[in-house]
Structures are given as structure tokens and as C-alpha cells.
Amino acid sequence: MAAKKTYRAVFGHVEVLPGTRYGSRMAVKAARLHKANQDGISWGLDSHDVRAADAIVLSNGYEDDRDLWDEVIYTGAGGRDAETGRQVEDQTWENPGNASLRRSRENAYAVRVIRGSDGEAAYSPTSGYRYDGLYRVLSEWTEEGKSGFQICRFQLRRLPDEDQELTPMEQQIKDAIDGTPRRNKTTVERIVRDTAVAQRIKSLYGHICQICNLSLAIGPDGLSYAEGAHIQALGKPHNGPDVDGNVLCLCPNCHVRLDRGALYLTDSLEVVDKYPDGSRAAITQLTVVERHKIRKRFVRAHRRYWDSVDKGES
């Protein structure tokens, strides 16, 4: 009988750009992001021949999971009925997956996080799976879960974008997709980011602005130009995530007006124009295709921020 192959855990990136999407768990495994086709926790031996986790999948596998994008409260492995998926017994630290995530916390190993379409709607892809970068395990504990059994819990926090430790190959991919964020001078100076998420949203709309329906031709070959606009802006003080539900396909004019609070959205996705004299008027309904799930939490965060600016609170 052939000896079972030992899996060596690979911590950090594996030449895959965060934001890359996959149609199946098999494709995720083939990309070397996660070693298994079904398990939530990917683990193997570290350099000391001790089991440690190098990746997890978030896809509504456990009812107690909580996904806040930057922070994840993750439920460990074990104790579920194979047929119903319900928790039927306590989880333990002897489970190799749970022990491995604990080891990753002890040694500050970076853990890859892959989100599936069945996870938290605000942060998950609309279909398949998406690699969302590196997280650090900060703590672990046991508590009683919703089903009344003891579960192992882990707190993970996403590494800042500047600390994602892109490999040289990955940096080349990133540069090819969105380049170093560039500053374009219009009425104001702003950073234009063209991420993989933005590329995906622009493709959904054929590079036509969701607000004014402008198709901005940029050459004789019929190409159109549009920008990926984050509703809740990236970076401080906004701290919005780079996910599908937080990105619009806009022309440059509508983009800069949204960024500066001159346009905002209602919960029903009406576009409101805020005039210099302080008056406001709903001017159109935002164009939205079925596959694009815009999240109200980002719309509300955008409104709250610019309301606070108007009141002199920001």
C-alpha cells in the first residue's frame, strides 16, 4: 500500500490575487488555496512538523459563524450530523482542524480566507468562491452554540491591504489589473482604484453608468470607459470593504459627485441630487441588474458620513 502523502501547510499567499473568483471548491483546491474539497479548515504540517492551519472557507457552514469582513468569528470543526448539517454534539480541541487553527494563532501564521456564495450576503460573492486575502487568528475559546452544544470559536482579523505581503508574481498581477492607485485631477484630487471587484461590476453593466446611463467611448474600436465607485469609501475614516455589494459602475462625473456627497442613494436606490443651496431632489432610479446585490448598510454609511459633514461633525 502506498504511503499517504503528507500535506505541508503553506502560509500566506500562493501566487493568487485577493479578489480572484472560482466556480467550485475543486477549483479552489486546484489553485492551492485550500487543501480540501469540503472541509472548512485546511491544515498541514508546519516547519516544526506540527499541524497548523493555512486556510479556511466561509460559506454558511456553521450557524454560529459571524462575518464582518475585517473581523470574522469562526466556528471550529466537528460535531455536525453529516446528512442534516446540524450540530449534534460538542466540538473539541482534539479535532485536528481546531488544534491547527489554535497552532496558527500561537505562531502568528497568516491564514487565507475564501468566501463562498452561501456566506454573509454583504461580503460574499454572488456565486462560486472568492479568495479574500490574509487574516490573523487573534484568539480562541469555547462557548455554547445556538444548538446547545459546546463549540470552538476563533476570532480572525484581516491584515491591512498594505500588509498583505504580495509576492512578486502577485504584485505583477495587481499592477496589470489596477496599477498603483493613480491620482486624476478633476474638480478635486482623488484616488481611482480599478480592482478585480470593480472590473467585475463594470462588466455586468457593459461599462455604462448606473446613474446617467452614459456610455463613454474612448476609441474607434468601440471600447467604453467607466469607473468602479465604492459607495462606502475605502480607507480611513470610511473603512468600506472592496466587495461587490459596495461598488457601482459609474462615469467619471457621477463617480466624483458620489465621492463628494453631491449625489447619494436612498434605501430604495433612488439617486438624490444635493444642490449647492442645500436643496435636494430625487433625479432617477439607480440601474441595477439582478446579479448585483447592493447592500443597504453601505448606502446608509455613505449618507451618514455626508450628513455629518453637512452638520460640521466630520
Side-chain angles (χ1 to χ4, degrees):
M1 181 185 298
K4 187 175 181 180
K5 186 177 180 180
T6 299
Y7 175 78
R8 285 283 173 185
V10 179
F11 305 104
H13 292 304
V14 287
E15 311 293 1
V16 174
L17 180 70
T20 303
R21 295 180 69 164
Y22 299 89
S24 67
R25 282 292 300 270
M26 290 185 65
V28 171
K29 180 180 179 180
R32 298 187 299 116
L33 287 165
H34 195 288
K35 78 166 186 177
N37 286 331
Q38 290 186 328
D39 296 343
I41 303 172
S42 172
W43 57 269
L45 299 182
D46 64 10
S47 60
H48 303 286
D49 288 335
V50 177
R51 289 183 307 212
D54 57 7
I56 62 170
V57 171
L58 281 170
S59 191
N60 199 28
Y62 286 88
E63 61 187 358
D64 296 281
D65 285 350
R66 190 167 83 236
D67 186 1
L68 302 174
W69 179 255
D70 283 326
E71 180 182 76
V72 171
I73 305 299
Y74 188 73
T75 306
R80 289 203 308 169
D81 181 88
E83 295 184 1
T84 66
R86 293 181 60 83
Q87 200 74 27
V88 294
E89 62 183 19
D90 294 340
Q91 294 182 347
T92 70
W93 295 109
E94 283 69 41
N95 179 284
N98 299 337
S100 298
L101 266 178
R102 172 181 270 181
R103 170 76 175 181
S104 293
R105 193 269 305 164
E106 293 170 346
N107 288 272
Y109 293 145
V111 174
R112 295 181 296 278
V113 169
I114 299 101
R115 284 180 172 85
S117 58
D118 291 332
E120 169 59 45
Y123 307 119
S124 301
T126 55
S127 63
Y129 296 86
R130 185 185 63 228
Y131 172 47
D132 281 335
L134 301 179
Y135 286 64
R136 196 83 72 192
V137 185
L138 301 182
S139 60
E140 77 274 346
W141 66 95
T142 57
E143 64 180 47
E144 184 177 299
K146 293 180 180 178
S147 296
F149 297 95
Q150 291 295 304
I151 56 175
C152 299
R153 302 279 267 165
F154 300 88
Q155 178 193 25
L156 295 91
R157 181 163 292 277
R158 193 176 193 273
L159 297 183
D161 287 340
E162 59 268 25
D163 295 333
Q164 284 287 333
E165 300 172 1
L166 299 183
T167 64
M169 173 66 75
E170 199 163 51
Q171 189 64 56
Q172 290 177 24
I173 298 172
K174 182 175 176 62
D175 289 343
I177 291 178
D178 66 349
T180 301
R182 61 193 185 280
R183 294 189 182 271
N184 287 354
K185 291 227 174 170
T186 54
T187 307
V188 294
E189 186 180 68
R190 62 199 175 90
I191 297 176
V192 178
R193 293 177 176 86
D194 200 12
T195 66
V197 172
Q199 291 280 11
R200 184 162 58 249
I201 296 303
K202 291 190 296 182
S203 295
L204 282 178
Y205 293 92
H207 294 71
I208 297 174
C209 180
Q210 288 177 253
I211 292 178
C212 69
N213 295 316
L214 175 67
S215 177
L216 186 61
I218 58 173
D221 53 5
L223 292 176
S224 294
Y225 176 77
E227 295 176 355
H230 291 84
I231 303 168
Q232 180 181 351
L234 303 181
K236 295 179 179 180
H238 313 277
N239 299 315
D242 191 25
V243 295
D244 290 24
N246 188 37
V247 176
L248 302 178
C249 173
L250 299 182
C251 70
N253 284 346
C254 289
H255 187 178
V256 72
R257 297 195 72 215
L258 180 81
D259 278 356
R260 301 303 298 168
L263 295 176
Y264 66 87
L265 301 174
T266 67
D267 282 1
S268 58
L269 300 184
E270 283 186 307
V271 182
V272 177
D273 199 330
K274 186 167 62 178
Y275 301 112
D277 64 2
S279 60
R280 307 177 186 212
I283 56 173
T284 189
Q285 186 73 27
L286 188 74
T287 299
V288 183
V289 299
E290 184 177 356
R291 286 182 292 167
H292 187 197
K293 307 298 183 184
I294 297 170
R295 302 305 172 187
K296 289 182 181 179
R297 69 180 65 186
F298 307 131
V299 169
R300 291 170 179 171
H302 179 267
R303 287 204 308 267
R304 281 197 304 269
Y305 177 78
W306 287 107
D307 282 345
S308 72
V309 171
D310 291 343
K311 295 173 183 177
E313 299 172 359
S314 181

